[in-house]
Structures are given as structure tokens and as C-alpha cells.
Amino acid sequence: MTENKVTGKKLLEDCAILARDLGAFVLDVSKRAYAVIKNALAEKKEKASDAADTEKKGVAHATLDGDGEKKPTAAVG
């Protein structure tokens, strides 16, 4: 019959395995969180850039009135 003794060595090995697995889990979660935040910030920046481009297009589509001065028109987007 095999005895199932809990030894200090076995306990330390189990703790080391647990720490390794926990570290891998935390690293994976950190990488995923970083990717999500990075993508969200990129989308926010892209939307702000698109809004600025739309505003610039509105100025670019301005027409001149009879006196040669710019007359604002609706932005075409």
C-alpha cells in the first residue's frame, strides 16, 4: 500500500506550480486588458480624427460669393 504523506518538499513543489500557473494567468489577463485598452484608445483617436477631417472638408467645400469672399456651405461627407 502506498502512503500519501504530505512532505515539505511536496508542499513546496505544489506551491511553485501554483505560483507559476497564477503568474501565467495574471500575465495573460494583463496582455488582454492592454490590448482592449489600446484598441479603445485607437478607436477614440480615429473618431476624433474623422470628426476633424469632416470639419476640414466643410471649410474646403466653401464657395465664393459674388464679392469673392468665402460663403460657408454644408459639409459633404
Side-chain angles (χ1 to χ4, degrees):
M1 185 165 122
T2 307
E3 293 183 29
N4 292 327
K5 289 185 180 179
V6 177
T7 62
K9 182 178 179 180
K10 182 64 177 163
L11 187 61
L12 287 175
E13 288 174 356
D14 290 345
C15 286
I17 292 169
L18 178 63
R20 183 190 67 210
D21 293 345
L22 187 59
F25 173 75
V26 169
L27 182 65
D28 184 52
V29 169
S30 299
K31 285 181 180 179
R32 289 177 186 223
Y34 175 78
V36 167
I37 292 169
K38 182 179 175 183
N39 289 338
L41 291 175
E43 286 177 9
K44 183 177 179 182
K45 185 177 181 181
E46 185 178 316
K47 285 181 183 179
S49 176
D50 288 345
D53 289 344
T54 302
E55 187 176 313
K56 286 180 185 177
K57 284 181 184 178
V59 173
H61 289 285
T63 57
L64 300 178
D65 63 6
D67 297 330
E69 294 191 19
K70 286 186 180 179
K71 173 172 70 171
T73 59
V76 178

